[in-house]
Each structure stands twice: as structure tokens, then as C-alpha cells.
Amino acid sequence: MLTPEQYRQKMQQRQRVQAERLAQCTAKGLVIVHTGDGKGKTTAALGMVLRSLGHGYRVAVVQFIKGAWCPAERRVLEHWSEQMVWHALGEGFTWDTQDRERDRQCAQQAWEVAANYLKHPDYYLTVLDEVNVALKLGYLDIHQVLADLAAKPPHTHVVLTGRGAPPELIDHADLVTEMTLRKHPFRSQGVKAQAGIEY
């Protein structure tokens, strides 16, 4: 156990090291990927949406796959309609739509909308919700997605959510978080999705 003086000296050293690191850092727009089988990918992205809105930035959310329902988050965030746009451009779970070609066309149309926000310098943050699933299912061309990400303005940020992010996207990203599933009430206990928790 450190004495109070030893602890103070240790923290002073850590403070110096941290200050040196920060002095060497720069700011840049990030490509952020939230993937994995665990819950929380969209929720984490929406946390960034709230932060950006709180700082007065403009935000775009484009939902792939989802779209057959209006989530509570969308209703809450509509209060920021002057700063934010929200597009739910899918038609729901692929096992419900049961039409691969229509799902592919919806994803293509959603990407056209998303690409416009990605190049727009006024949108500080763009969230591409469930786009990783669209990529995994082959509804979108990874090379086109990477090209559009590479062409975004250097100060803007983008978050791509969904299971199964392709390796090429993970390599391109600046920050990748993989949500790990340890336990899920639907799978282990037969508990259905509930308002305020899942939607």
C-alpha cells in the first residue's frame, strides 16, 4: 500500500505523462464501428447522438433493416428536429420481409441517403444503424461503403452499428467496439422485448 506522499508522486507522474500524450494528439473525424452479438450497439450510438446534440451539432441517423416500427428513441429525439434528421428506411427483420431482392433495394436506397449525409460538412455525426447487417447479407458493396467513408469531410464522425461487421470495415475504422453476448433474457428465459429496454 502506498503512503499518501507516494500516491501523490505517482499521480503527479501520471499527470505529466498524460499531458505529454495529449500535447501530441490531434482532432479528426472518426469512423466508429459497434458490432458483436451482444445488446447495446444502437444504444451506444444514440448516446453519441445525445452528446453531439448537447454540443449543438447537427446529426443524421439512417436506419438500415429497421423501419417497420417507430422506436421510442426516435420520438424523444424529434424534439431536436432543427439539429437532427432520422430516416428509418428498412422494412423490418429479414425473416419477416422474406423478400431478399426488396431488402437489397431498400438497403441500396438507404445507402444513397446515407452517402449524402456522409459528404455533407454540416453533419457532425452520422449514425448508420444496422448497416453492418446489410453488408453481412450482401445488400451493399463494401468497396462502395469504404470509398464513401474515405471521402467524408475530415472533421465529421460516423458510427456504423450491427452484428457481423466485415473485416475490411473493421480494418478501416478508427474505433471498433465488439459487444459480447454473455446472457440474454429472450434466449435463456423466454422473456420478450420490452418497452423502454429494447425499444
Side-chain angles (χ1 to χ4, degrees), residues 10 12 16 21 25 28 40 44 53-54 60 65 69 76 81 91 95 116-117 122 126 132 142 192:
K10 181 179 178 179
Q12 284 179 341
R16 280 192 294 274
R21 286 181 184 160
C25 291
K28 76 168 209 163
L53 292 171
I65 312 297
W69 69 92
V76 169
S81 60
E91 294 185 343
W95 57 81
N116 284 327
Y117 288 112
D122 291 344
T126 301
N132 298 341
I142 184 63
K192 66 181 182 179

Side-chain angles (χ1 to χ4, degrees), residues 31-35 132 158-160 165 169-170 173 175-178:
V31 174
I32 301 165
V33 174
H34 293 170
T35 193
N132 298 341
V158 59
V159 183
L160 303 95
L169 179 59
I170 289 172
L175 172 62
V176 178
T177 300
E178 186 167 349

Side-chain angles (χ1 to χ4, degrees), residues 60-64 85 87 89 106-123 126-129 131 140-141 143-153 156-158 160:
V61 175
V62 179
Q63 289 188 302
F64 294 73
V85 294
H87 299 276
L89 299 172
C106 281
Q108 292 288 322
Q109 291 167 352
W111 185 257
E112 289 173 21
V113 171
N116 284 327
Y117 288 112
L118 287 176
K119 14 182 174 180
H120 201 301
D122 291 344
Y123 283 88
T126 301
V127 173
L128 307 177
D129 188 37
V131 72
L140 297 172
D141 176 18
H143 302 294
Q144 180 64 56
V145 169
L146 293 176
D148 288 340
L149 290 174
K152 74 176 189 57
T156 63
H157 306 276
V158 59
L160 303 95

Side-chain angles (χ1 to χ4, degrees), residues 152-198:
K152 74 176 189 57
H155 67 282
T156 63
H157 306 276
V158 59
V159 183
L160 303 95
T161 75
R163 298 171 186 239
E168 300 95 330
L169 179 59
I170 289 172
D171 290 344
H172 180 84
D174 299 294
L175 172 62
V176 178
T177 300
E178 186 167 349
M179 311 295 187
T180 303
L181 176 65
R182 296 291 176 118
K183 199 174 187 183
H184 197 292
F186 176 71
R187 291 185 180 165
S188 63
Q189 302 169 43
V191 176
K192 66 181 182 179
Q194 299 176 76
I197 306 301
E198 280 86 15

Side-chain angles (χ1 to χ4, degrees), residues 90-105:
E91 294 185 343
F93 297 116
T94 54
W95 57 81
D96 288 332
T97 61
Q98 300 179 13
D99 186 336
R100 180 175 171 75
E101 182 53 28
R102 193 165 87 196
D103 291 340
R104 191 193 67 73
Q105 288 173 0

